[in-house]
Amino acid sequence: MARARGKKRAAAAAADAGGSSQTDPAAARGRPKRAKTEPKPKPEPEYFPEPRNLYVWVVLKHIHCIGSDCGVPKLFPEDLWLSAFPIGTEWENIDKIKEFNWNFENLEKALEEGGKLYGKTVYVFGSTEPQLLDVDGESKIVLIPIVVAVDCPFPPSDKIGINSVQRENEEIVPMRAMKMAWVPYVPLNDRLSRMESLKTKIFTLGCTQRRSALKHLKTERVKKFDYCMPYYMPLSPPEDEDDTVVNIMYPLEPPIVCDFDWEMDDYEDFIDEKVKDEVLPEDEKEKFKDFIKERVRERKRELKQAKEARKKAIDDLDPKLKEAMQNIRFYKFYPVKTKDTPDVSKVQAKYINRYYRQAHELL
């Protein structure tokens, strides 16, 4: 206790020697004064370059970034057609879309005041079509981007079809199974408005699968993205629902690839013709016949199930949704010709895919 009082006296004496009339409590405790810190400067505001009217302001988690990874959500300006995921395009070919400075002013004009899609609810998805085009006087395979706009007050579908000639079976899966979803799109000039107040409501097909993560996925999973296409079930049956033709690929070396029509072709005559053409060995006739019959049974079973599923789905539809589906319209857009891009006018087609079939209008 004596030592403690001695320290206090020493501190008081030191203060008197310095000529101070007041004793600093911090100094009396033997602690240094805390230096005053300057206030942090306010961050400079960020400014974005003046964009065109239909550039996208993305603030949602479902973001598709062509040629880069999709990580933390961020704000960035981007053409509308680029914000729609090019579904069904091989991952290794996605960057080829940027080979040319494609222009979709026709899509923008359709959405602006006075356009066909102005004031409507529109669902937009992208895709690509490889075509042989003239590029600077030389023939070259070009990956042409296309955009499909669906005029409908409700999402045309929440499913994805996975199908190709390389796959044995068709798959219809929910969009979320392939990390896809319809994402609201807000033009920059309306970014401070509520979505409900926008005159034209636009949703684009987005995909959150990161390209950098593909190397960690199984090859089968990666290839599924290559075979994806937007699924749509029209109220009217597809043209091939009553088709009586089956595709045959009989496992020989080389395999026998042909079509068989169970209404037009006779089994015996069809098989004898293959033997005569020396594509089928004589001792394989019965096996080949059984193989064809099994494919015919499978196809008939598929058609029956499809009809039943369609009837049930239509019967279960909400009346408002059924009315919307009856008035649904598809618009297909190709890039317009510019001095920087090849002419695609000679290769344009209304066909979209096996589910959506033909577009109502080609723009």
Side-chain angles (χ1 to χ4, degrees):
M1 295 298 291
R3 181 176 297 176
R5 289 194 295 271
K7 285 184 178 181
K8 290 182 180 179
R9 293 192 192 101
D16 292 340
S20 173
S21 61
Q22 294 181 353
T23 303
D24 189 337
R29 292 194 299 270
R31 298 176 184 173
K33 291 182 179 180
R34 179 177 296 176
K36 293 183 178 180
T37 59
E38 294 294 330
K40 293 183 179 180
K42 295 182 178 180
E44 292 292 328
E46 295 184 12
Y47 296 94
F48 294 89
E50 184 67 23
R52 286 157 62 191
N53 182 41
L54 285 175
Y55 276 11
V56 66
W57 185 273
V58 180
V59 293
L60 303 173
K61 68 177 182 178
H62 294 293
I63 300 173
H64 169 66
C65 313
I66 292 181
S68 62
D69 289 336
C70 301
V72 179
K74 57 184 180 181
L75 302 175
F76 65 99
E78 187 177 52
D79 273 329
L80 170 60
W81 75 271
L82 279 174
S83 70
F85 180 65
I87 186 169
T89 305
E90 293 84 355
W91 288 104
E92 60 268 22
N93 290 332
I94 284 183
D95 288 336
K96 292 182 180 180
I97 299 175
K98 300 183 293 182
E99 183 179 4
F100 298 97
N101 187 26
W102 301 109
N103 186 303
F104 279 86
E105 289 184 356
N106 49 350
L107 173 62
E108 297 182 5
K109 289 180 180 179
L111 293 164
E112 292 172 353
E113 188 171 0
K116 287 181 176 292
L117 299 175
Y118 179 73
K120 299 179 179 295
T121 300
V122 182
Y123 293 83
V124 179
F125 63 85
S127 188
T128 51
E129 296 178 356
Q131 294 286 353
L132 185 64
L133 300 179
D134 182 282
V135 181
D136 297 329
E138 297 183 3
S139 295
K140 180 180 179 180
I141 296 293
V142 177
L143 202 63
I144 305 172
I146 63 101
V147 174
V148 175
V150 182
D151 173 13
C152 187
F154 304 102
S157 174
D158 61 352
K159 295 180 175 57
I160 292 292
I162 305 175
N163 200 354
S164 76
V165 294
Q166 289 85 4
R167 294 175 59 87
E168 292 183 4
N169 300 314
E170 175 188 39
E171 286 186 73
I172 307 297
V173 301
M175 281 185 173
R176 63 179 179 273
M178 301 306 295
K179 294 190 174 183
M180 298 183 193
W182 294 113
V183 184
Y185 165 97
V186 185
L188 271 180
N189 63 331
D190 294 318
R191 65 181 180 273
L192 299 180
S193 304
R194 292 175 58 84
M195 274 292 294
E196 294 81 1
S197 66
L198 298 179
K199 292 184 178 180
T200 303
K201 294 183 175 65
I202 307 171
F203 297 83
T204 60
L205 181 63
C207 178
T208 57
Q209 175 62 54
R210 293 184 301 165
R211 293 178 68 182
S212 62
L214 294 176
K215 58 180 176 290
H216 302 300
L217 302 179
K218 293 182 179 180
T219 303
E220 182 181 356
R221 169 67 176 174
V222 176
K223 296 302 291 183
K224 277 189 174 183
F225 284 95
D226 299 345
Y227 303 141
C228 282
M229 61 182 71
Y231 176 78
Y232 170 72
M233 188 195 72
L235 296 183
S236 58
E239 297 173 357
D240 63 346
E241 189 163 282
D242 293 321
D243 191 6
T244 58
V245 176
V246 292
N247 305 121
I248 304 297
M249 182 178 289
Y250 188 65
L252 280 180
E253 189 58 44
I256 299 176
V257 181
C258 58
D259 292 334
F260 180 84
D261 188 327
W262 68 73
E263 286 191 352
M264 302 296 294
D265 295 325
D266 178 79
Y267 284 101
E268 300 297 335
D269 293 342
F270 184 83
I271 295 172
D272 289 341
E273 188 69 23
K274 297 301 178 186
V275 174
K276 183 179 177 180
D277 293 340
E278 298 183 352
V279 296
L280 178 70
E282 183 73 30
D283 58 358
E284 287 281 333
K285 289 178 61 175
E286 288 303 317
K287 291 182 180 179
F288 187 50
K289 184 178 181 180
D290 292 340
F291 183 86
I292 296 175
K293 286 185 175 182
E294 179 59 29
R295 286 293 295 118
V296 169
R297 283 192 292 268
E298 289 178 0
R299 179 57 180 164
K300 288 181 177 180
R301 186 164 54 247
E302 291 173 0
L303 292 176
K304 181 180 179 181
Q305 291 174 350
K307 287 182 178 180
E308 292 175 350
R310 178 184 305 281
K311 185 179 183 304
K312 184 179 186 305
I314 294 174
D315 291 342
D316 293 343
L317 276 180
D318 179 90
K320 290 184 178 179
L321 181 57
K322 183 181 293 188
E323 181 182 359
M325 300 296 277
Q326 289 172 342
N327 298 316
I328 196 170
R329 292 188 67 83
F330 309 142
Y331 298 86
K332 186 177 180 182
F333 296 83
Y334 281 88
V336 300
K337 178 69 175 72
T338 69
K339 63 179 182 180
D340 300 325
T341 58
D343 185 7
V344 304
S345 59
K346 295 182 180 180
V347 296
Q348 295 183 9
K350 284 189 174 183
Y351 182 77
I352 300 174
N353 64 31
R354 62 177 295 170
Y355 304 117
Y356 279 78
R357 293 182 279 174
Q358 304 286 328
H360 293 93
E361 289 192 46
L362 192 63
L363 301 174

